[in-house]
């Protein structure tokens, strides 16, 4: 039995442009204005949060790791940040993860499987083009 879903332009994949009204290079504030479609922010992550979490983990497990180990990981995080810019992730109630580089929208990831198609799309502006990757769930 086939179920026809009504077309919703808010979820239209626009290659090289974005997803519906959420287009690449929008600021976090501009994207948040679309929260009625994209959902509320349920969590965030960035380099500063990762460093805080790393320090907290180190404090709990410092009997198993040296300060040199901590320094090595911190330097790796800094190097990654220097190569890509300041990366921020937003997790939304709709199952979408949005990535921003230096405050501009660069990537959409869907964490919620579309039950009708068994496909979860992911796409980004890497190298200024939209790349579509599909993860098939069996």
């Amino acid at each position: 039995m086939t179920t026809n879903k009504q077309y919703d332009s808010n979820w239209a994949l626009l290659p090289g442009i974005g997803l519906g009204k959420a287009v690449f290079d929008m600021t976090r504030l501009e994207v948040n204005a679309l929260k009625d479609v994209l959902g509320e922010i349920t969590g965030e992550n960035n380099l500063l949060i990762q460093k805080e979490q790393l320090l907290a983990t180190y404090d709990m497990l410092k009997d198993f790791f040296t300060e040199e180990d901590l320094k090595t990981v911190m330097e790796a995080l800094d190097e990654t940040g220097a190569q890509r810019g300041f990366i921020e992730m937003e997790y939304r109630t709709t199952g979408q993860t949005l990535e921003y580089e230096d405050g501009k929208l660069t990537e959409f990831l869907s964490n919620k499987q579309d039950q009708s198609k068994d496909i979860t799309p992911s796409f980004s502006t890497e190298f200024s083009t939209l790349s579509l990757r599909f993860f098939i769930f069996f």
Side-chain angles (χ1 to χ4, degrees), residues 1 5 10 20 36 45 48 51 55 57 76 82 96 99 104 106 110 112 121:
M1 174 189 224
K5 290 185 178 182
N10 290 310
D36 57 322
N45 197 1
L48 299 174
K51 284 184 172 185
L55 287 172
T57 301
Q96 304 300 310
E99 181 178 284
K104 300 288 187 165
T106 57
S110 179
K112 196 178 242 184

Side-chain angles (χ1 to χ4, degrees), residues 18-81:
L19 177 68
K21 295 175 186 169
V23 297
F24 297 123
D25 288 333
M26 288 178 89
T27 65
R28 290 184 74 183
L29 186 60
E30 291 170 325
V31 172
N32 202 43
L34 303 173
K35 67 183 174 187
D36 57 322
V37 174
L38 296 173
E40 296 286 338
I41 298 171
T42 60
E44 298 179 79
N45 197 1
N46 61 45
L47 183 61
L48 299 174
I49 292 171
Q50 289 174 341
K51 284 184 172 185
E52 289 173 9
Q53 291 170 341
L54 178 61
L55 287 172
T57 301
Y58 174 76
D59 284 340
M60 289 188 307
L61 302 173
K62 60 183 156 192
D63 293 339
F64 302 99
F65 300 99
T66 67
E67 285 189 31
E68 186 63 31
D69 293 334
L70 176 64
K71 181 182 174 189
T72 300
V73 174
M74 286 291 197
E75 287 173 354
L77 286 173
D78 288 337
E79 185 177 325
T80 300

Side-chain angles (χ1 to χ4, degrees), residues 93-112:
T93 55
T94 55
Q96 304 300 310
T97 299
L98 285 67
E99 181 178 284
Y100 300 83
E101 185 172 338
D102 297 327
K104 300 288 187 165
L105 182 63
T106 57
E107 188 166 354
F108 297 91
L109 297 149
S110 179
N111 302 330
K112 196 178 242 184

